[in-house]
Amino acid sequence: MSTRAAEGGAAGNPARRLFAMVLACEAIVIALAIPVAVAVLDVDGATAGAVCGSLAVACLVLAGLLRRPWAVPAGTALQVLIIATGFMVPAMFFLGAVFGALWWTAIWLGRKAASARPR
């Protein structure tokens, strides 16, 4: 077993790349919800920027912290918060649910891959 795998590196969690991709794409989508909220739905720019901007930054920061044991549960909580942005931009209910489904798929695939490894 490589040292990197023993330390929980990229080989340690096969779903880590999928988690990171979901979070990175989610950051882009949530950032793009800001102008929609302001221009189309007449949400205050400061409110839309603070809520969506902080969630987008949280997605990117969390993508970089996926080696931490608490990162996946924190990502799950973040998925709930992103779905809740649907109260500001209704399309985010759907988009948040799609990303939440991708997040749960990554969890499922990670568990499946971890159990398939030789022990």
Side-chain angles (χ1 to χ4, degrees):
M1 179 190 238
S2 73
T3 306
R4 186 176 170 102
E7 294 173 357
N13 183 351
R16 187 173 293 138
R17 285 186 185 169
L18 184 54
F19 286 131
M21 275 186 55
V22 168
L23 289 168
C25 291
E26 205 164 20
I28 293 167
V29 169
I30 195 78
L32 289 173
I34 297 170
V36 172
V38 173
V40 178
L41 301 170
D42 294 326
V43 176
D44 179 52
T47 302
V51 172
C52 294
S54 62
L55 287 174
V57 169
C59 285
L60 295 175
V61 169
L62 194 57
L65 294 173
L66 284 170
R67 292 178 187 227
R68 309 280 187 213
W70 49 265
V72 173
T76 303
L78 188 60
Q79 300 307 311
V80 173
L81 292 174
I82 289 173
I83 291 171
T85 61
F87 291 108
M88 187 169 43
V89 179
M92 288 306 296
F93 282 126
F94 172 73
L95 293 171
V98 168
F99 280 109
L102 289 171
W103 187 260
W104 284 106
T105 301
I107 291 172
W108 177 74
L109 287 173
R111 288 181 180 163
K112 189 173 180 179
S115 68
R117 281 198 222 141
R119 294 174 187 196

